[in-house]
C-alpha cells in the first residue's frame, strides 16, 4: 500500500507543470524616446514565442522602476531579471563595453550584424557582461547617428567645433572630440532638451533622426551637421541576470535568442525607414542641414584610429574586442570590395590590427 501511494505521488508530481517564471524588465529609455520601441518589440515577440507556462516578461518604461543609470546594477543584483540598454553607458565599469555599443568611424549596422552573428561577436558580449553575472542578447542595431545639432553656431567644418560644449556619449567619442577642439558634456538623454533650451550646452548628439525628432530637438536647435562620424552604428540589447537565465530550460532560452535575432533585423529596417521620415520632418521644421566634406571625414578617421588604439591598449579586454572587429573587417574586405558598388558599405581605413592585437595579449 505504501508503495502504491509513493508511486501515485511521484506520478502526480511528474504530471504537474513547472511553475511559470515572471520576469520584471525595464529600460534605459523613457517612453518619450523612440528607442524604446526596439525593447518593446523584443518583449512582445518573446512573449509570443515562449509558452505562457514557461515565462512571461513584464516590461516597464525607463525611469518607472529605477533611474536609467541604475538599470545595470538592478539586473546585476537580481533586483530585476532583465534590463534593456546601450552597452556604452557602462564603459566606466569596463572600457570594453564601448566597442560593444558603437565605434567611431568604423562599423556600420551591417558590420555589427555580421560580426555578432558570424564572426564571434556574440561570445564577446557574453564574456564582458558575464564578468558582472549577466547574459546578454543583442537585439537592436541602428546605422550611423544623426550627427551634431547646435543651437546658434553651425558646424560646417571641423574648425567650427573649437570650444563648443557638446553633449556626447562614449569614451572614445569624448577623447576624439577633444582632439578636434570640442568639449564633451555627459548627460542622460532625458536631460538634453532642457540643457539645449537653457544654454547649458551649445549642441548635442543623441541618436538617429527619428529618435532625435521624438526628443523634440527641432524645437531647440537650428543647425544639424552630418554625418554621425562619432557613432557610425549602435547596438542595443537586453541584460539578463545569470541566475534568472540559468533557471530557464534550454528551449525557452533558445526562443529568447530567436526573438533577439528577429528583432535585430526588424530594428534596422524600422529605424532606417523612420530616419528617412524624420529627415524630411527636420527639413520642414526649418533646420539647416549640412554635411562635412570628405577631406574632413578623412581627418576624423585618422584621429579616430589613433584614439581607438590608445583606448584599446589601456585594457586587454577592450583590445580583444577591437581586434576581433578589425579581423572581421580585414577578412570581409575581400568580398565586400570585390562586389562594389553593390556591396554592403565601405571598408574603412581603420586602426592597425597588429598593434591592437599586441595589446590584447
Amino acid at each position: 500500500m505504501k508503495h502504491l501511494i509513493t508511486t501515485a505521488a511521484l506520478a502526480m508530481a511528474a504530471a504537474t507543470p513547472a511553475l511559470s517564471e515572471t520576469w520584471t524588465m525595464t529600460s534605459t529609455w523613457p517612453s518619450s524616446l523612440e528607442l524604446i520601441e526596439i525593447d518593446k518589440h523584443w518583449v512582445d515577440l518573446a512573449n509570443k514565442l515562449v509558452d505562457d507556462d514557461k515565462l512571461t516578461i513584464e516590461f516597464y518604461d525607463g525611469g518607472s522602476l529605477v533611474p536609467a543609470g541604475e538599470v545595470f546594477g538592478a539586473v546585476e543584483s537580481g533586483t530585476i531579471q532583465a534590463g534593456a540598454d546601450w552597452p556604452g553607458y557602462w564603459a566606466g565599469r569596463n572600457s570594453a563595453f564601448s566597442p560593444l555599443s558603437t565605434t567611431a568611424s568604423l562599423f556600420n549596422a551591417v558590420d555589427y550584424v555580421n560580426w555578432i552573428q558570424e564572426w564571434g561577436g556574440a561570445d564577446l558580449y557574453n564574456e564582458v557582461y558575464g564578468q558582472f553575472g549577466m547574459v546578454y542578447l543583442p537585439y537592436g542595431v541602428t546605422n550611423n547617428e544623426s550627427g551634431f545639432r547646435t543651437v546658434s553656431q553651425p558646424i560646417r567644418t571641423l574648425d567650427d567645433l573649437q570650444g563648443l560644449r557638446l553633449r556626447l556619449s562614449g569614451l572614445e567619442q569624448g577623447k576624439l572630440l577633444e582632439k578636434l577642439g570640442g568639449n564633451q558634456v555627459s548627460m542622460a538623454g532625458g536631460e538634453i532638451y532642457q540643457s539645449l533650451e537653457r544654454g547649458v550646452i551649445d549642441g548635442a548628439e543623441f541618436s538617429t533622426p527619428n529618435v532625435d525628432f521624438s526628443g523634440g530637438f527641432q524645437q531647440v536647435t537650428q543647425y544639424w551637421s552630418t554625418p554621425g562620424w562619432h557613432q557610425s552604428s549602435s547596438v542595443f540589447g537586453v541584460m539578463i541576470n545569470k541566475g534568472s537565465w540559468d533557471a530557464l530550460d534550454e528551449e525557452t532560452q533558445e526562443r529568447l535568442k530567436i526573438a533577439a535575432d528577429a528583432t535585430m533585423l526588424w530594428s534596422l529596417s524600422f529605424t532606417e525607414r523612420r530616419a528617412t521620415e524624420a529627415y524630411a520632418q527636420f527639413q520642414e521644421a526649418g533646420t539647416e542641414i549640412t554635411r562635412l566634406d570628405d577631406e574632413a571625414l578623412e581627418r576624423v578617421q585618422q584621429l579616430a584610429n589613433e584614439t581607438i588604439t590608445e583606448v584599446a591598449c589601456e585594457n586587454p579586454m577592450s583590445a580583444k574586442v577591437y581586434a576581433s572587429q578589425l579581423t572581421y573587417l580585414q577578412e570581409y574586405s575581400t568580398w565586400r570590395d570585390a562586389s562594389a558598388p553593390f556591396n554592403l558599405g565601405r571598408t574603412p581605413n581603420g586602426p592597425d590590427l597588429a598593434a591592437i592585437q599586441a595589446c590584447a595579449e
Side-chain angles (χ1 to χ4, degrees):
M1 185 69 171
K2 181 178 180 180
H3 174 72
L4 290 175
I5 294 175
T6 302
T7 302
L10 289 172
M12 290 179 61
T16 302
L19 294 177
S20 171
E21 294 278 347
T22 300
W23 281 5
T24 297
M25 175 178 170
T26 190
S27 173
T28 53
W29 315 118
S31 59
S32 59
L33 294 177
E34 200 167 285
L35 282 172
I36 202 171
E37 295 304 319
I38 300 175
D39 304 330
K40 290 180 177 179
H41 191 276
W42 179 76
V43 172
D44 289 345
L45 187 54
N47 280 333
K48 289 175 182 177
L49 291 177
V50 176
D51 296 337
D52 291 342
D53 61 352
K54 297 288 186 67
L55 174 68
T56 300
I57 303 173
E58 296 180 349
F59 182 77
Y60 297 84
D61 294 345
S64 60
L65 296 181
V66 295
E70 296 179 16
V71 175
F72 187 100
V75 177
E76 181 183 20
S77 66
T79 302
I80 59 176
Q81 289 74 42
D85 76 337
W86 177 69
Y89 284 147
W90 325 125
R93 296 171 180 262
N94 187 325
S95 59
F97 281 116
S98 188
L100 295 178
S101 64
T102 188
T103 58
S105 300
L106 204 60
F107 267 20
N108 65 21
V110 170
D111 289 323
Y112 264 117
V113 173
N114 287 347
W115 177 67
I116 289 169
Q117 295 289 341
E118 297 294 336
W119 265 270
D123 291 337
L124 287 171
Y125 281 89
N126 282 302
E127 184 173 347
V128 177
Y129 278 92
Q131 295 175 0
F132 300 89
M134 289 185 271
V135 170
Y136 195 76
L137 300 181
Y139 61 45
V141 62
T142 60
N143 212 38
N144 79 291
E145 300 211 336
S146 300
F148 286 101
R149 305 184 183 281
T150 49
V151 178
S152 59
Q153 298 171 260
I155 302 172
R156 300 189 181 105
T157 70
L158 293 180
D159 289 341
D160 294 330
L161 290 168
Q162 295 294 321
L164 292 185
R165 298 163 299 164
L166 300 171
R167 185 273 179 188
L168 174 66
S169 285
L171 176 61
E172 292 87 332
Q173 288 69 25
K175 292 179 180 293
L176 177 55
L177 178 62
E178 290 174 4
K179 290 181 180 181
L180 291 166
N183 300 299
Q184 181 183 28
V185 180
S186 298
M187 64 179 62
E191 300 173 10
I192 297 174
Y193 184 97
Q194 287 189 340
S195 296
L196 289 166
E197 186 179 42
R198 295 175 180 176
V200 175
I201 52 177
D202 300 308
E205 62 75 43
F206 184 57
S207 188
T208 50
N210 52 305
V211 178
D212 288 357
F213 198 87
S214 72
F217 298 155
Q218 72 281 1
Q219 300 168 6
V220 288
T221 60
Q222 299 182 61
Y223 304 100
W224 173 9
S225 176
T226 70
W229 46 264
H230 60 292
Q231 287 184 221
S232 50
S233 180
S234 293
V235 173
F236 309 89
V238 58
M239 306 174 281
I240 301 173
N241 179 273
K242 183 67 162 54
S244 299
W245 177 261
D246 289 344
L248 302 176
D249 60 58
E250 290 186 6
E251 180 183 359
T252 300
Q253 292 175 350
E254 185 61 26
R255 292 189 181 192
L256 294 182
K257 292 177 182 178
I258 291 170
D261 290 345
T263 299
M264 181 173 287
L265 178 59
W266 168 84
S267 69
L268 178 56
S269 58
F270 170 74
T271 56
E272 286 296 278
R273 170 63 186 268
R274 290 289 296 119
T276 301
E277 295 170 345
Y279 186 91
Q281 291 176 306
F282 274 105
Q283 288 179 312
E284 293 168 4
T287 302
E288 179 186 299
I289 307 173
T290 57
R291 179 185 180 277
L292 294 175
D293 61 31
D294 291 345
E295 183 179 352
L297 294 177
E298 178 57 33
R299 175 60 177 158
V300 169
Q301 184 71 67
Q302 293 170 358
L303 292 175
N305 294 346
E306 177 184 298
T307 303
I308 288 171
T309 302
E310 290 171 355
V311 172
C313 286
E314 292 174 353
N315 176 4
M317 191 66 232
S318 178
K320 182 177 181 178
V321 174
Y322 272 119
S324 175
Q325 293 177 337
L326 292 170
T327 297
Y328 151 75
L329 287 173
Q330 185 180 87
E331 293 178 357
Y332 183 45
S333 68
T334 54
W335 167 237
R336 172 144 64 182
D337 295 348
S339 59
F342 309 109
N343 51 359
L344 296 173
R346 69 186 185 117
T347 297
N349 182 21
D352 181 66
L353 173 57
I356 291 182
Q357 284 177 325
C359 294
E361 297 174 353

